[in-house]
Amino acid sequence: MSTESARQSEQMGCYALDFLEIGQAQVAVVGGKGAHLGELSRIEGVHVPPGFCVTTAAFQRVMTEAPSIEVMLDRLSHLAPDDREAIRVLSAEIRGTVEAVAIPRDLVEAITRPIARLGERAAYAVRSSATAEDLPNASFAGQQDTYLNVIGCGSILRHVSLCWASLFTERAVIYRLRNGFDHRKVNMAVVVQQMVFPQASGVLFTADPVTGHRRTATVEACYGLGEALVSGLVNADTWKVRNGQLIDATVATKTLAMHASAAGGVQRHAVPPELQSRPTLADAQVLELVQLGQRIEMHFGSPQDIEWCLAGDAFHIVQSRPITTLFPIPAARDDALHVYVSVGHQQMMTDPMRPLGISVRQLSNAGMLEAGSRMFVDVTRALASRAGRAGLMDMLGKSDPLIGDALQTLIDRDFIPLSDAPAGAAPAANTPSPIEADPAVVDALIAQNEASIAAAKRDIMGKSGSALFEFILDDAKEMNRLAFDPQSLRVLMTGIEATWWLNDHLQDWLGEKNVADVLTRSVPGNVTSEMGLSLMDVADIIRRYPAVVGFLQQVDTDDFLDALPGLAGGREAHDALLAWLDTYGMRCVGEIDITYPRWSERPSMMLPLLLGNIRNVAAGAAARRFQQGLQEAREKEQEVLQRLRALPNGERKAEETKRMIDRLRTFIGYREYPKYAMTVRYFVYKQALMAEADRMVQAGVLREREDIFYLRFHELHDVTRGGRVDDELITQRKGAFQAAHALTPPRVLTSEGECVAGAYRSDDLPEGALVGLAVSSGTVEGRARVIFDMKQADLEPGDILITRFTDPSWTPLFVAIKGLVTEVGGLMTHGAVIAREYGLPAVVGVEHATRLICDGQRIRVHGTDGYVEILP
């Protein structure tokens, strides 16, 4: 185990430190809880019961008395978090070993000396304080043990040993395994603190832990010791306070309380009937407590989860830790109210992004803001004007009703009042005028992009150092120009508006929902659907060669392409795969972040998709699927026009509809191209930046080439000029990136930190139905396959894919399924567009679908009406 903390505290010459000797920087010496208690003791006006910490040096000393633990820790580090039985057995063995160690005499003296000073007959709380506990990115709350009302030196020493051993409880071991903490690098200190015998206790959150609202404090209280509340034995009285005013209060019926026992420990007591429905705190006390919490929050610089006790008329603070579940707020340049909308929910990528990925994305759109390793756009100016608000709600409300409903909630509150200010760059605030169907317009836009990308590939060759970064900065302006080309935007919006027009008018005229879903099947020029069909063609070539198929089934490295030519049929397979990667290899899961590995960089990632096609799809299926979709679209067009002509004013309606169908089929395929072009360009940048990283590794500037992922673009530019990198900053950002995986990004976020949730407005749904957004018509039943990692996908024909989100890289999986359900998505996001083109019934935006639907369950997807049924 690491001895860094042991050396640090031994240099201080002690195994025990009084709270007043401790500051928040001493986590390695006294653990997170101990460091916070020491820091709390320094805050004027905050009453902290006196106590001391048994340092991590003491823990290290005890560990040296049991060398067999090293072997057990080695075994523990190789266990998977889900191997519960093995973890249970091994962690119990380690705890037993720690508890059996006799505490050395000098250590006993160091622990009992402060007890004698504070009072040997006093009662104490003995609490674990791990070095990976109560940290800004991981609270570890409840993972180790706490003992209350411990009396006498012998009992305190025994409970200190139990706290040391609790570093290896089953729950603590699993938590560390799942959060990437090395068992050897986590040490244990122990807090020994005089008990307070309160009439009431509880917790105070200085920000709302549910909504994230930073100006809303939540107080929870119960009679007696707070252990009853923490253990879930009682319902708490709850108050909410915003800006110094009580805005909500709930008084619970409290039948039990925990109090200290005269013999030590705690015991339950019945609450007298006359007190059960009485508030545990007066309103004035609640406000006093919240003010105290604000003082503590200001001192620590972040919202706090505070444990408190009320004894007599005084509040005592027994712990304060950061609230680690709050989603961060984008940095603003003023103190005004702002509203932010998630980019990831529109791009079907809600996983965290690394600093380099975010900063490169910002090169082409400086208006994107960062928070929680995700990207947001500020829509405040759009909401503040009538035109901007109407355009924003029309676009986002149709695309993602949950975003639309959340924004409507803020509008109803008058959160951003209307003003005469210009709308700003709001989506659809100034919708470009539509254009008539003309395939040449699309061809010209694609040709323009391809010529620009070819020039970028040519001109970036040989550039390094500052010249490389200056080139990328200049070229990003060209990428931005193409992305926001007025003609390109007109094509995009013409296709989207044709979709909306057809669905709205044909439902009104013919009573049929989502007719555009069939009309968009097998549209020309959809680069993402073509990618999936093209991989089916590659499968057709490879399936003819059993030796190649068998070899690919065993591949576990990324250099397999070099070995293919030596197999029967291997040259043909090699050339087909290489040609596919040349066209689509710059794509990957999470492709909007250039730091995510591309298929060309790790070709083994796409093998499950290829092998799935070989196993599940018949030869020639790509062409048949495309022709079938084309035929269905043509037949639907003729059927709709014929039905319209039979209506009053039928010829006019049919003529208008035909014009919209032509626009739809001409332009909607282009919907996928701008992102593809951006991804191609990003890969050009990435290849040059990785070559630069290799040079810096060789020069000893970087430890690893991937370290550049944790620097922003301008920071990396500075490193190339200065020849020095901040290794501590990179380590810190690696930790922050890992911690960001535990955060759930909201669709809508305010500058007050509130994550505003939207809801679907659906009626007449079957009981138990999971509601979402209907994006591709049809009804289908099948086996649900809940997939989180595309590499682990083991799909069979007829399966229904259930996942969090699908960006374009998931498209090859769509050929093997017959339905789609996602937690994230909108009407025009990639999964929805491809599902419609492939004719797959799909419902997106089904919140918590991957938790509510179990892998293997039979389900029914209602893609027309937007809900999912779990079948018996």
Side-chain angles (χ1 to χ4, degrees), residues 18-20 37 41 47-53 117-118 123-125 191-196 316-318:
D18 189 275
F19 286 169
L20 295 176
L37 281 168
S41 301
H47 301 293
V48 177
F52 66 95
C53 286
R117 174 173 51 81
L118 293 170
Y124 294 87
V191 169
V192 181
Q193 185 177 30
Q194 276 193 354
M195 283 286 296
V196 174
H316 299 265
I317 304 302
V318 295

Side-chain angles (χ1 to χ4, degrees), residues 167-242:
L167 188 64
F168 304 104
T169 61
E170 181 181 348
R171 64 183 182 272
V173 167
I174 292 173
Y175 192 92
R176 287 196 295 273
L177 287 172
R178 285 183 173 161
N179 288 275
F181 285 85
D182 187 337
H183 301 297
R184 286 182 170 82
K185 294 182 179 179
V186 180
N187 295 302
M188 179 68 81
V190 180
V191 169
V192 181
Q193 185 177 30
Q194 276 193 354
M195 283 286 296
V196 174
F197 301 102
Q199 66 261 31
S201 302
V203 293
L204 160 64
F205 298 97
T206 63
D208 192 314
V210 177
T211 69
H213 198 295
R214 302 302 199 267
R215 298 180 186 177
T216 301
T218 301
V219 176
E220 296 181 349
C222 66
Y223 289 124
L225 295 166
E227 185 67 15
L229 179 59
V230 173
S231 303
L233 295 175
V234 298
N235 293 322
D237 293 344
T238 304
W239 295 265
K240 288 188 180 295
V241 177
R242 182 177 297 165

Side-chain angles (χ1 to χ4, degrees), residues 14 49 70 116 146 265 343 353 472 495 553 575 613 650 746 838:
C14 62
E70 279 296 319
T146 289
V343 173
M353 298 174 65
I472 292 175
Q553 289 171 337
D575 293 348
N613 284 348
Y838 283 2

Side-chain angles (χ1 to χ4, degrees), residues 514-795:
N514 305 330
V515 176
D517 292 357
V518 180
L519 295 171
T520 55
R521 291 179 188 171
S522 298
V523 295
N526 187 320
V527 67
T528 303
S529 63
E530 288 171 354
M531 175 179 68
L533 297 174
S534 178
L535 191 62
M536 295 168 71
D537 291 334
V538 175
D540 285 351
I541 294 172
I542 292 177
R543 67 161 48 88
R544 301 199 300 261
Y545 305 108
V548 174
V549 175
F551 170 75
L552 294 178
Q553 289 171 337
Q554 305 302 317
V555 164
D556 58 4
T557 62
D558 289 310
D559 58 357
F560 67 92
L561 285 169
D562 296 336
L564 281 176
L567 302 172
R571 172 55 63 185
E572 291 84 348
H574 173 275
D575 293 348
L577 281 168
L578 207 58
W580 191 86
L581 288 170
D582 284 344
T583 306
Y584 304 110
M586 75 297 299
R587 311 211 82 160
C588 67
V589 174
E591 63 190 17
I592 63 173
D593 181 349
I594 71 165
T595 71
Y596 278 64
R598 313 282 128 174
W599 285 330
S600 287
E601 295 173 312
R602 295 186 187 171
S604 62
M605 294 192 305
M606 45 78 62
L607 287 182
L609 309 177
L610 175 66
L611 292 170
N613 284 348
I614 293 172
R615 182 175 63 250
N616 297 323
V617 181
R624 288 196 301 273
R625 178 187 286 267
F626 185 83
Q627 288 302 317
Q628 179 182 344
L630 191 60
Q631 183 65 27
E632 290 169 349
R634 288 171 176 167
E635 290 175 355
K636 190 65 178 179
E637 176 180 340
Q638 295 305 314
E639 174 208 324
V640 164
L641 295 177
Q642 183 177 355
R643 291 166 63 190
L644 287 173
R645 291 187 181 103
L647 298 177
N649 297 317
E651 287 299 330
R652 178 185 59 79
K653 292 174 179 176
E655 182 180 340
E656 291 177 357
T657 300
K658 172 59 175 170
R659 185 168 65 253
M660 289 298 175
I661 292 174
D662 289 345
R663 289 180 182 177
L664 175 73
R665 293 197 58 80
T666 301
F667 296 133
I668 201 64
Y670 182 73
R671 164 69 180 80
E672 293 292 302
Y673 184 80
K675 185 178 182 183
Y676 170 77
M678 179 191 73
T679 305
V680 174
R681 211 173 202 109
Y682 279 174
F683 192 44
V684 174
Y685 298 165
K686 183 178 185 180
Q687 289 173 304
L689 290 172
M690 296 311 294
E692 188 72 12
D694 289 335
R695 285 188 285 270
M696 287 191 281
V697 170
Q698 292 172 4
V701 177
L702 291 177
R703 295 176 181 174
E704 301 174 345
R705 68 197 305 253
E706 288 81 9
D707 282 351
I708 70 169
F709 296 163
Y710 300 94
L711 296 172
R712 295 186 174 90
F713 184 82
H714 72 274
E715 294 170 339
L716 183 56
H717 191 183
D718 290 342
V719 171
T720 62
R721 288 184 289 203
R724 296 184 60 185
V725 68
D726 187 342
D727 290 324
E728 185 176 340
L729 175 66
I730 289 175
T731 299
Q732 175 189 335
R733 286 185 176 166
K734 287 180 178 179
F737 175 73
Q738 286 302 119
H741 283 82
L743 297 173
T744 301
R747 286 174 166 84
V748 176
L749 177 68
T750 75
S751 53
E752 294 181 324
E754 182 180 5
C755 300
V756 186
Y760 292 105
R761 308 301 178 186
S762 301
D763 300 318
D764 301 325
L765 295 180
E767 184 178 355
L770 308 180
V771 64
L773 176 63
V775 296
S776 186
S777 296
T779 301
V780 64
E781 292 184 15
R783 180 181 67 156
R785 294 309 316 274
V786 181
I787 306 293
F788 295 98
D789 185 345
M790 191 169 61
K791 298 191 297 293
Q792 307 301 321
D794 183 18
L795 297 167

Side-chain angles (χ1 to χ4, degrees), residues 61 63 112 137 235 297 391 418 496 579 584 634 708 806 870:
R61 174 77 182 280
M63 292 298 100
T112 55
N137 295 324
N235 293 322
E297 177 183 307
L418 286 170
I496 291 171
Y584 304 110
R634 288 171 176 167
I708 70 169
T806 60
I870 299 175

Side-chain angles (χ1 to χ4, degrees), residues 1 7 9 25 33-34 65 85 126 137 198 310 366 437 469 561 571 575 604 623 709 719 733-734 741 815 824 847:
M1 298 181 67
R7 286 197 303 270
S9 52
K33 189 180 279 100
E65 301 291 321
E85 180 60 22
V126 182
N137 295 324
L310 177 65
F469 287 85
L561 285 169
R571 172 55 63 185
D575 293 348
S604 62
F709 296 163
V719 171
R733 286 185 176 166
K734 287 180 178 179
H741 283 82
V815 301
V824 175
E847 296 200 289

